Amino acid sequence: MAHLIRHKLSNKLTNAAHTVSNKSQAKVSGVFARLGFQAATDEEGVGFAECDDLDYDYRHGMQMDVLQGEEEGGQLEGEGELDGDSHYQRDGTGRGPSSLKTGGSLDEDKPQITTWEAGWNVTNAIQGMFVLGLPYAILHGGYLGLFLIIFAAVVCCYTGKILIACLYEDNEDGIKVRVRDSYVDIANACCAPRFPALGGHVVNVAQIIELVMTCILYVVVSGNLMVNSFPGFPISQKAWSVLATVALLPCAFLKNLKAVSKFSLLCTVAHFIINILVIAYCLSRARDWAWDKVKFYIDVKKFPISIGIIVFSYTSQIFLPSLEGNMQKPSEFHCMMEWTHIAACVLKGLFALVAYLTWADATKEVITDNLPSTIRAVVNLFLVSKALLSYPLPFFAAVEVLEKSFFQDGGRAIFPDCYGPNGQLKSWGLGLRIGLVVFTLLMAVFVPHFALLMGLTGSLTGAGLCFLLPSLFHLKLQWRNLLWHHVFFDVAIFVIGGICAISGFIHSVEGLIEAYRYNIHD
């Protein structure tokens, strides 16, 4: 005991001697030193594939690292014991508290991922099949549309970084420690102490809307692709959507995503083949490219819809906290975000420009519909397969958020648990899942407009989750550490994002009303 007391007093004296110099160095080094992350701890699973764990942590807010005794005190490597705030902060270098599971055991065996694996997850999120709507954005935006593809990549990369910065706070020694685990934790921290759960509810609602709308878009694009692949068949787009939904009904029985995660590679291969075929066909018609059709003017009425389409194609912020927490080297998160978004920007810009130059004013909402009938059928079948294989991921994520919020919220849920004592899904719980599948079908049948729905979703939730909330949370939580140009960037992103979101939402709704009123199919 005497040895422990002497050791603790020695550490306190050492920490006190270096506190001023450490804080001064942090001030001089600027924001980059302040954002230097420590090694990650065992966090939630990665992306949608582990969304059940992610949403469990969402429901339970911040995970506090309460020290049980002096022997269990969290220590920084080479820095000694932490005092004061260390009793509620989770050190970024030591082994933090793992996510507490339903059974009460700690999940300490989750493997961490490399920087390349993290980059692969982000790439899959921002390079999905929704890039097929980008040439349609160029149709209504011209060169400004290309600029927005670049601008959105820069802004989404920046907001992803500042969102992760909001997970960390300085301890009394000026060292960054991770005190939050998820987007919802950040939102709750911003609304505390008056409304400690309000921010989390807002983020969860936005997340559910985006996930459900993504499912609807998969059904819409499946029906659209099939009716354009086989125009001679006496089957309408609505009927094809119904058939696609029948194939998706088994999703209601999913207990986890292990059964479908193995199909993710097939989705990536299919998407790669699709892009190669489209670009190869466009290059074969390079002599006929309509450069004169790419203008600097914009369609004032339809261009805001294009903004939503572009923003929606970059959405990945929802799972970035989980991703960064699972990285072996979180200090490489910034570098990973930069090269993934640079690659996405280049590929999206080239794909959108080449496709638009090939078909010019005849460019359709889904660019593969412009292909000749022989190639179109093959490409569209690949696309339909990818859409059907991709549907379970956002569907299961939406189900998990709804179940944790309304049925399993630590005894505070509105409705009784939809699972039995042995983990068996109750019949009415299965009915709710089937009802969600049917809801996506009904929306796809009554609103079968891919580009308009994509623009609406991007304007409503994409801009909020990618532009508005990260910049607002960064200003709120990191205000004392921000330099003037970071404040300027955050305010500018919030203002521009708000204008784009409002205008895009209004024009998307007007476009849907017009399409519904005049029975416009394209």
Side-chain angles (χ1 to χ4, degrees), residues 45-48 54 58 118-128 130 152-164 167 182-183 203 206-207 210-211 214 308-324 333 336-338 340-342 344 348 457-458 461-467 470:
V46 181
F48 289 132
L54 174 62
Y58 278 5
W120 178 254
N121 279 274
V122 174
T123 299
N124 284 335
I126 63 179
Q127 298 263 45
F130 296 118
V154 173
V155 172
C156 288
C157 180
Y158 173 77
T159 55
K161 293 177 182 179
I162 64 175
L163 185 67
I164 296 303
L167 297 174
S182 66
Y183 207 141
V203 171
Q207 182 186 10
E210 182 165 308
L211 293 170
T214 302
I309 294 174
I310 294 171
V311 171
F312 185 75
S313 69
Y314 279 106
T315 53
S316 65
Q317 269 73 358
I318 265 297
F319 66 86
L320 288 182
S322 174
L323 193 69
E324 188 266 351
F333 178 82
M336 180 273 296
M337 286 291 289
E338 289 168 1
T340 52
H341 282 74
I342 289 174
K348 288 180 179 182
T457 306
T461 62
L465 294 173
C466 294
F467 290 3

Side-chain angles (χ1 to χ4, degrees), residues 67-248:
L67 301 182
Q68 301 298 328
E70 292 182 355
E71 293 81 7
E72 298 177 355
Q75 296 185 357
L76 290 173
E77 296 180 6
E79 293 294 334
E81 291 186 343
L82 294 176
D83 298 311
D85 290 349
S86 65
H87 290 278
Y88 64 84
Q89 291 178 334
R90 179 157 50 81
D91 174 22
T93 60
R95 186 183 71 176
S98 302
S99 299
L100 186 63
K101 296 301 168 187
T102 304
S105 62
L106 292 177
D107 183 17
E108 299 178 349
D109 299 325
K110 287 186 179 179
Q112 292 181 324
I113 60 175
T114 64
T115 303
W116 285 101
E117 290 171 333
W120 178 254
N121 279 274
V122 174
T123 299
N124 284 335
I126 63 179
Q127 298 263 45
M129 65 181 299
F130 296 118
V131 300
L132 299 175
L134 292 180
Y136 188 78
I138 304 299
L139 172 65
H140 300 298
Y143 286 111
L144 187 55
L146 288 174
F147 169 77
L148 277 177
I149 292 177
I150 301 173
F151 177 77
V154 173
V155 172
C156 288
C157 180
Y158 173 77
T159 55
K161 293 177 182 179
I162 64 175
L163 185 67
I164 296 303
C166 292
L167 297 174
Y168 291 80
E169 295 287 352
D170 291 331
N171 66 2
E172 61 182 10
D173 296 322
I175 299 175
K176 289 289 183 181
V177 290
R178 203 174 198 260
V179 298
R180 304 177 187 97
D181 290 328
S182 66
Y183 207 141
V184 169
D185 290 346
I186 297 172
N188 286 334
C190 287
C191 295
R194 292 187 177 181
F195 307 100
L198 177 62
H201 292 326
V202 172
V203 171
N204 275 327
V205 169
Q207 182 186 10
I208 291 173
I209 293 174
E210 182 165 308
L211 293 170
V212 173
M213 290 298 290
T214 302
C215 294
I216 295 170
L217 285 170
Y218 282 135
V219 179
V220 170
V221 77
S222 297
N224 179 283
L225 294 171
M226 292 302 294
V227 75
N228 283 283
S229 300
F230 306 101
F233 282 29
I235 303 178
S236 65
Q237 178 175 339
K238 296 180 179 180
W240 281 117
S241 297
V242 172
L243 293 176
T245 306
V246 171
L248 295 171

